[in-house]
Amino acid sequence: MNQLIFDFARRDYPEFDKFLGSANRELVFVLQQARDQFVYVWGAAGTGKSHLLRAWAGQAAEQGADARYIDAAAMPLDDSALEADYLAVDQADRLNDGEQALLFEIFNRFRNSGRGRLLLAADVPPAQLAVREDLRTRMGYCLVYDIKPLSDDEKIAALAGMARARQIDVDDEIFRYLLNYWQRDMDSLVQMLDTLCLYTATTRRRLTLPLLRRLLTQQDAV
């Protein structure tokens, strides 16, 4: 999925609550308030940047704004982005020359009008991006945050909260097992949670540790 459209009746867009842990509390507060016009977040792959951008865009859209989330690695950034009130551009380090020129135009339009909000994300800070120099200058307007990784307890609390939001009861030992014997980054853990919730919903089976081990073994065999 690249440009994301949220179904608010089902509230299936991701939310801020607990996802980024106590170390990122200031960042979450800043994005929830949406007072800063330009914000740039960076951090290693799997720290939850995509979730964060989707939560920000989802919150704005629910409040009636024209809000868009675009994954720059999956689709081009095109002129329709100029119409957005809130624009989240994920993987900004993947923008090509034409897309960089458009983002430069978006910066100027938002800045000159005093309207619009822009949230960018990449794996590295702005100074390390391989982008045109005038765009790098515009990025100097951004409030920049380095996303801090979650502790294991924070990851478990976040996953448990997401499971409850889906009305699925999952014991913490399930999440601890995934941390110890599967992938540890939040993006992968959230994808696995989605898979497990879908499995339990379709089979009506409670997720137990023996069942999780069998499912992981089957996945490794694929």
Side-chain angles (χ1 to χ4, degrees), residues 16-21 51 150-164 166 175 186 190 193:
F16 289 111
D17 187 37
K18 295 184 179 179
F19 189 83
L20 293 178
H51 179 104
L150 298 180
S151 68
D152 285 359
D153 286 343
E154 287 174 331
K155 290 178 182 179
I156 291 171
L159 293 166
M162 293 177 201
R164 286 193 299 272
R166 293 164 171 79
F175 301 128
M186 279 304 297
V190 171
L193 174 63

Side-chain angles (χ1 to χ4, degrees), residues 78-150:
D78 60 33
D79 290 342
S80 66
L82 291 164
E83 303 170 4
D85 301 313
Y86 285 71
L87 178 63
V89 180
D90 205 354
Q91 301 195 68
D93 47 331
R94 305 288 294 273
L95 295 171
N96 62 34
D97 291 344
E99 292 164 341
Q100 291 177 34
L102 178 57
L103 184 58
F104 178 78
E105 181 180 352
I106 292 170
F107 261 111
N108 288 341
R109 182 172 296 193
F110 282 9
R111 186 189 183 206
N112 293 337
S113 68
R115 300 178 60 185
R117 296 290 184 271
L118 180 63
L119 176 59
L120 305 174
D123 291 348
V124 297
Q128 296 181 21
L129 282 180
V131 298
R132 46 192 278 176
E133 190 58 35
D134 56 0
L135 179 57
R136 194 191 318 279
T137 300
R138 292 296 180 270
M139 288 179 173
Y141 300 150
C142 292
L143 187 63
V144 178
Y145 280 93
D146 173 9
I147 297 181
K148 304 298 190 297
L150 298 180

Side-chain angles (χ1 to χ4, degrees), residues 5-6 21 30 42 61 63 69 77 79 98-99 111 113 119 122 148 151 153 164-165 170 185 187 191:
I5 300 174
F6 300 105
V30 165
W42 67 278
Q63 294 170 353
Y69 166 85
L77 180 67
D79 290 342
E99 292 164 341
R111 186 189 183 206
S113 68
L119 176 59
K148 304 298 190 297
S151 68
D153 286 343
R164 286 193 299 272
V170 181
D185 67 276
D187 285 349
Q191 289 177 12

